[in-house]
Amino acid sequence: MFRTHTCGELKITDVNNEVTLAGWIQRIRNHGAMTFIDLRDRYGITQLVIDEDSSDTVKKQLTELGREFVIQVKGTVRERSSKNRNIATGEIEIGVVNITVLNSSEIPPFTIQDDTDGGDDLRMKYRYLDLRRNKVRDNLILRAKMAHAVRSYLNEKEFIETETPVLIKSTPEGARDFVVPSRMNEGEFYALPQSPQVFKQLLMIAGFDRYYQIVKCFRDEDLRADRQPEFTQIDCEMSFVEQKDILETFQGLTEYLFKEILDIEVTEFPWMPYSEAMEKYGSDKPDIRFDMLINDISDVVKGKGFGVFDSAEFVGAINADECSCYTRKQLDQLTNWVKRPQIGAKGLIYVKCNDDGSFKSSVDKFYSQEDLKIWADTVGAKPHDLILVMSGDREQTLSALGELRLEMGNQLKLRKKNIFKPLWVVDFPLLEWNEETERFHAMHHPFTAPKPEDIHLLETDPGKVRANAYDLVINGVEIGGGSVRIFDSELQAKMFGKLGFTKEQAQDQFGFLMNAFKYGAPPHAGIAFGFDRLVSLFAGLDSIRDVIAFPKNNSGRDVMIDSPSQIAQEQLDELSLKLNLKE
Amino acid sequence: MFRTHTCGELKITDVNNEVTLAGWIQRIRNHGAMTFIDLRDRYGITQLVIDEDSSDTVKKQLTELGREFVIQVKGTVRERSSKNRNIATGEIEIGVVNITVLNSSEIPPFTIQDDTDGGDDLRMKYRYLDLRRNKVRDNLILRAKMAHAVRSYLNEKEFIETETPVLIKSTPEGARDFVVPSRMNEGEFYALPQSPQVFKQLLMIAGFDRYYQIVKCFRDEDLRADRQPEFTQIDCEMSFVEQKDILETFQGLTEYLFKEILDIEVTEFPWMPYSEAMEKYGSDKPDIRFDMLINDISDVVKGKGFGVFDSAEFVGAINADECSCYTRKQLDQLTNWVKRPQIGAKGLIYVKCNDDGSFKSSVDKFYSQEDLKIWADTVGAKPHDLILVMSGDREQTLSALGELRLEMGNQLKLRKKNIFKPLWVVDFPLLEWNEETERFHAMHHPFTAPKPEDIHLLETDPGKVRANAYDLVINGVEIGGGSVRIFDSELQAKMFGKLGFTKEQAQDQFGFLMNAFKYGAPPHAGIAFGFDRLVSLFAGLDSIRDVIAFPKNNSGRDVMIDSPSQIAQEQLDELSLKLNLKE
């Protein structure tokens, strides 16, 4: 061992002890006769002192040291004359007797400090230096703690952690599968799992009863802001349960994590049907830290000669408390914000509810004060409030209003990072119509069970069938999702039919699962949490990148190791592959 | 919830309670007026009774039930008249009031019993049914328990579990890399890690101090009996440590696992230099549950006119206690055994040490009784013993004798599965000469540190340089291995040179690591345990397949899901690839 103690543990009770420390030089402060070195390791910082009593050798060495050098130091623990109450070792310092330079360091490309001067790209390229920063390392320690807490909770509930394969089978359904050519099976490929879905269902058929795994999953898709080609799931499945058993168990897990990790009690997990979420929040993942619900004011606004509203399928409004003071400029900014391609709205109508009970709107030409009074009553607006109105296609308008609601929540600082409001969104539609392929797709996945009371609609009105599917949403972030599964091979075959699979396709791709259903499949249901997202929520971060040790960028590149990269011709030959590059 | 209790928990104290159980029908025994059903789930078996008091509906349902049907049963707990002390629920039974068939089952292709009639291939194809067997499931529960115990121990020692990427960079050195074409980066590939080696070293450079991960690794190689293309490692790395710190820490882990999992005290972990292991056991992974060491008898046997020995580089012998009774037939079988291509010996000489102190050998023509007495004294043979002698090239003969020693250990039942004898093999050679490529290869990997006292030999006699590398061997099985790492970029560059890398190649493949060394790399060392092998050792199994939920066969195929498989032309097109099949 190169040390007797870490840099985070020496206390006043250690004074006069001879110790050996090892770590990185954080800082050297030369005060003339005395020089202080802050020695850093994962556990803390300890102050080293070289003064007149120090040997000439040590004094000479001093001149050769620099930031991020790795040194081993022998010395004596002394009480500090001016104590630093902010750090654990702030009462002591080390009178240096001997220094061994274990490794030197070039000047790092950015400062190793909480507030570094390094930009994103530089920090990613030198991720191993970025990880030296307390903030970044603390996020990864949090991640490790959370994984441990998840395991403690699930082990205690008799879940069996079971590893499922990473080299699995590709399915055309999984168009975004990463594939892996097999050298031993010429012309054939494995795929990397987008989730262990099929395997966890097979484990239920195998009688494992309760399964979980913290597991890497993979998706080869265009990466939006907060996606990674490889990501980590807490993946779970239970047998002989109904929807409410899953929701209770995983509410329990979430409560446990809040308590264990953040020491806060979060116990309210309301359930909201998908339809209500869409109507009231314009989103299937409502942020319920604040209200500002969407109101359907179509009936109220139509028929007054304002063509935009009269011809709209839907007119909706939200009411922002105490915002009648918004300036022309602020309102213009909001209008531009909703017109951005990400939102894609045509415009934004406002009604200011003045202090004196009168109204000022951008549609005063078409609506009288009395008309606007009715609007205000409909949305529950009081004097000082600001009503924001959008119109158009129903779904698009709800979605745009949902986005506007979140933006107003930001502007009004209603989305506090230290407040956590979980929500179960339930009763998702089973199927969604895809205009492009002109067929129904599974909203969740093809193994999701329809609600028994809706099964009869499968033939007559498939779009209306609700699923026993659920999402856990916290603060507007989708943390997890799952469903009760089909466990009957006939119903499963019917579902594949509805999804446009021929019998042969279904057999070819999922034959082993449908076969397995023939040998006594139990009722089962499951859920998966996005672990990266859960950790970043707990860490108060906006991006999952900061809770991943070695993340990839938006092009799926690891800029540190420079991957992906070209491979040797011999490798391609061995795999019986040829590049077929586009011109 | 479909049940109030599991099939493993009802006791005599539950008598008269109304309960609901759910599970699989293990067996139906019809005793005329009474019918017994064994209902099975993961937790146990509970006996159900249908008798004269049962309703007509239930009696009628009985006729439709079969093995592996999934049923839900309501009934009353009753005391059994004839108790079964072998199972936890053996004191009670359930008087059935109501049966709901949750799912039917076709007749399974093999019996779901400890001693199944299913062959290997069938069991793998229907792995989800094989996993229903207690034995198989218990192995996977053992695996989960061991993973949990590993994490408990390492968390307690302040190791941070950190996930490293699965999509990494391919290196020509890693000829057995699986590669993954990137859709977003045309013509480029990721590779799947054979180990997280480089990343854990970067985590040390990042100051993580102690890292571990239970992690999937991948190797695309011809699969010998007990290899899998994907396997699991307990991967660890520590900073500011020397070899003995690693050995102590992971002896501690191993002791903890023996105690926690098997409740046995295993505390002796001797260290043996590689050279001694090769000379005395003919193997770098000696099974030290028994002695029967190899003796070099070259000096004793030469010069007596027996050409085979006179011309041999090496003559070695082992002494099998109390085996002078071996028959001609047994000796012929042994001779054939060593002549198999796996061993490749030319022949086997024996000397029987008779009860009366005389000797009978297969080389009596060349050696007198006095000569043979000297042999016996050299190998420590007593009357009743059997000396087995082989000769030839030194390394090959040692290895063959090592194999013969293990075989004799088997025949004499000296390799008991419930005895565990760990051993650290240390001082491995740093480099080994490869005849084919005519250059040195790293025996461990290119990041392994030479012993400081041997560094001067790097220039003059590289084959003699010993490494600070170590293997943990238990009962002749290599459980883990690791090394102290090079942490100096100059020494690392020198090593790459010795291994035949040009500067450009080294920079291209490991530039980011050598770069990282420039910014203050701490001394560090690590180890990885083969988790599959560790679990199979603890389970008393010979193959790792039985401790993997969904293993692949020797061709790397998953016969259950039928993978690898062909992929669609569109997928190939999207990846800019063409098949280039051999004729």
Side-chain angles (χ1 to χ4, degrees), chain B residues 42-280:
Chain B
R42 168 183 143 201
Y43 309 93
I45 280 185
T46 299
Q47 179 167 296
L48 313 178
V49 190
I50 293 106
D51 56 19
E52 288 154 355
D53 298 337
S54 304
S55 72
D56 287 345
T57 317
V58 167
K59 284 181 197 154
K60 179 149 178 294
Q61 278 180 301
L62 241 192
T63 62
E64 289 152 14
L65 299 179
R67 279 190 179 217
E68 301 304 319
F69 274 47
V70 185
I71 60 172
Q72 182 187 40
V73 173
K74 290 186 206 299
T76 311
V77 183
R78 306 196 305 214
E79 182 168 2
R80 279 205 208 180
S81 50
S82 80
K83 301 199 167 54
N84 178 349
R85 306 288 176 193
N86 296 325
I87 62 171
T89 63
E91 294 194 292
I92 59 93
E93 62 192 15
I94 311 294
V96 174
V97 174
N98 190 286
I99 297 177
T100 307
V101 176
L102 298 173
N103 224 332
S104 62
S105 174
E106 292 187 7
I107 294 168
F110 51 84
T111 56
I112 312 293
Q113 288 170 342
D114 282 1
D115 292 309
T116 180
D117 55 359
D120 231 36
D121 291 349
L122 207 55
R123 293 199 296 114
M124 285 304 139
K125 180 156 182 209
Y126 295 90
R127 182 64 166 172
Y128 46 87
L129 297 180
D130 195 32
L131 288 169
R132 283 189 192 166
R133 298 166 55 231
N134 292 330
K135 272 190 182 178
V136 183
R137 191 182 56 231
D138 286 350
N139 290 335
L140 287 158
I141 291 177
L142 174 74
R143 184 184 180 104
K145 272 192 192 156
M146 288 183 70
H148 186 61
V150 168
R151 290 192 164 99
S152 297
Y153 177 88
L154 294 173
N155 288 344
E156 216 268 316
K157 300 264 180 226
E158 304 211 64
F159 283 77
I160 306 174
E161 184 166 29
T162 311
E163 294 173 55
T164 54
V166 177
L167 298 171
I168 65 164
K169 183 171 175 159
S170 183
T171 62
E173 187 72 352
R176 294 291 83 104
D177 281 346
F178 281 106
V179 297
V180 183
S182 164
R183 196 173 50 88
M184 289 174 60
N185 301 275
E186 203 191 19
E188 297 190 328
F189 295 74
Y190 302 100
L192 303 181
Q194 297 187 35
S195 102
Q197 183 62 33
V198 168
F199 293 94
K200 66 180 179 174
Q201 293 195 240
L202 289 173
L203 286 173
M204 294 303 102
I205 294 171
F208 271 48
D209 206 74
R210 297 179 167 208
Y211 143 92
Y212 82 98
Q213 190 181 190
I214 300 184
V215 60
K216 275 279 173 75
C217 300
F218 306 86
R219 206 175 293 144
D220 188 10
E221 65 185 347
D222 301 320
L223 299 169
R224 276 168 277 159
D226 212 23
R227 292 272 179 101
Q228 288 277 316
E230 54 179 299
F231 53 97
T232 304
Q233 281 190 187
I234 308 169
D235 192 52
C236 306
E237 197 81 5
M238 299 172 84
S239 288
F240 300 115
V241 294
E242 291 159 301
Q243 173 170 304
K244 87 173 175 29
D245 303 309
I246 295 273
L247 268 49
E248 279 170 16
T249 305
F250 290 89
Q251 169 171 345
L253 170 63
T254 312
E255 287 180 1
Y256 178 81
L257 291 175
F258 277 120
K259 184 68 195 156
E260 276 293 298
I261 303 294
L262 299 180
D263 196 25
I264 56 176
E265 311 268 353
V266 179
T267 54
E268 275 179 55
F269 287 66
W271 296 17
M272 185 185 291
Y274 170 85
S275 56
E276 182 183 336
M278 295 309 288
E279 275 164 31
K280 299 289 181 195

Side-chain angles (χ1 to χ4, degrees), chain A residues 24 49 67 176 256 312 317 326 341 348 359 370 474 480 501 526:
Chain A
W24 287 261
V49 189
R67 278 187 180 219
R176 295 291 83 103
Y256 178 81
Y326 261 50
L348 179 64
F359 301 96
E370 289 68 37
I474 305 180
F501 285 77

Side-chain angles (χ1 to χ4, degrees), chain A residues 1-3 22 24 42-43 68 70 102-107 128-129 131-132 137 141 143-144 148 151 155 158 160-161 163-170 176 178-181 183-186 188-190 199 202 205-210 216 218 220-221 230 232 240-242 245 487 512 516 518-523 550 552 554-557 560-565 567 571 573-582, chain B residues 1-3 22 24 42-43 68 70 102-107 128-129 131-132 137 141 143-144 148 151 155 158 160-161 163-170 176 178-181 183-186 188-190 199 202 205-210 216 218 220-221 230 232 240-242 245 487 512 516 518-523 550 552 554-557 560-565 567 571-582:
Chain A
M1 205 67 96
F2 284 74
R3 64 191 175 203
W24 287 261
R42 168 183 143 201
Y43 309 94
E68 301 304 317
V70 185
L102 298 173
N103 224 334
S104 62
S105 175
E106 292 186 6
I107 293 167
Y128 45 87
L129 297 180
L131 288 169
R132 283 189 191 165
R137 192 182 54 231
I141 291 177
R143 183 185 180 104
H148 186 61
R151 290 192 165 99
N155 287 343
E158 304 211 64
I160 306 174
E161 185 167 28
E163 294 173 54
T164 54
V166 176
L167 298 172
I168 66 164
K169 183 172 177 160
S170 183
R176 295 291 83 103
F178 281 108
V179 297
V180 183
R183 197 173 49 89
M184 289 173 62
N185 301 274
E186 203 192 18
E188 297 190 328
F189 294 75
Y190 302 100
F199 292 96
L202 289 173
I205 294 171
F208 272 47
D209 207 73
R210 295 179 168 208
K216 274 277 174 76
F218 307 86
D220 188 9
E221 65 184 346
E230 53 180 300
T232 304
F240 299 116
V241 294
E242 291 158 302
D245 303 309
F487 66 105
F512 58 98
K518 292 180 191 154
Y519 295 100
F550 299 101
K552 295 184 175 59
N554 286 350
S555 322
R557 294 201 74 81
M560 179 186 71
I561 62 173
D562 190 23
S563 161
S565 58
I567 59 173
Q571 268 175 299
D573 291 345
E574 275 219 316
L575 296 168
S576 306
L577 288 177
K578 248 198 235 174
L579 293 185
N580 182 26
L581 301 183
K582 291 160 194 108
Chain B
M1 206 68 97
F2 283 74
R3 65 191 174 202
W24 286 262
R42 168 183 143 201
Y43 309 93
E68 301 304 319
V70 185
L102 298 173
N103 224 332
S104 62
S105 174
E106 292 187 7
I107 294 168
Y128 46 87
L129 297 180
L131 288 169
R132 283 189 192 166
R137 191 182 56 231
I141 291 177
R143 184 184 180 104
H148 186 61
R151 290 192 164 99
N155 288 344
E158 304 211 64
I160 306 174
E161 184 166 29
E163 294 173 55
T164 54
V166 177
L167 298 171
I168 65 164
K169 183 171 175 159
S170 183
R176 294 291 83 104
F178 281 106
V179 297
V180 183
R183 196 173 50 88
M184 289 174 60
N185 301 275
E186 203 191 19
E188 297 190 328
F189 295 74
Y190 302 100
F199 293 94
L202 289 173
I205 294 171
F208 271 48
D209 206 74
R210 297 179 167 208
K216 275 279 173 75
F218 306 86
D220 188 10
E221 65 185 347
E230 54 179 299
T232 304
F240 300 115
V241 294
E242 291 159 301
D245 303 309
F487 67 104
F512 59 97
K518 292 179 190 154
Y519 295 99
F550 300 100
K552 295 185 174 56
N554 285 350
S555 321
R557 293 201 74 80
M560 180 186 72
I561 62 173
D562 190 22
S563 161
S565 59
I567 60 174
Q571 267 175 300
L572 286 170
D573 291 345
E574 276 220 314
L575 296 168
S576 305
L577 288 178
K578 248 198 237 175
L579 293 185
N580 181 25
L581 302 184
K582 293 162 194 106

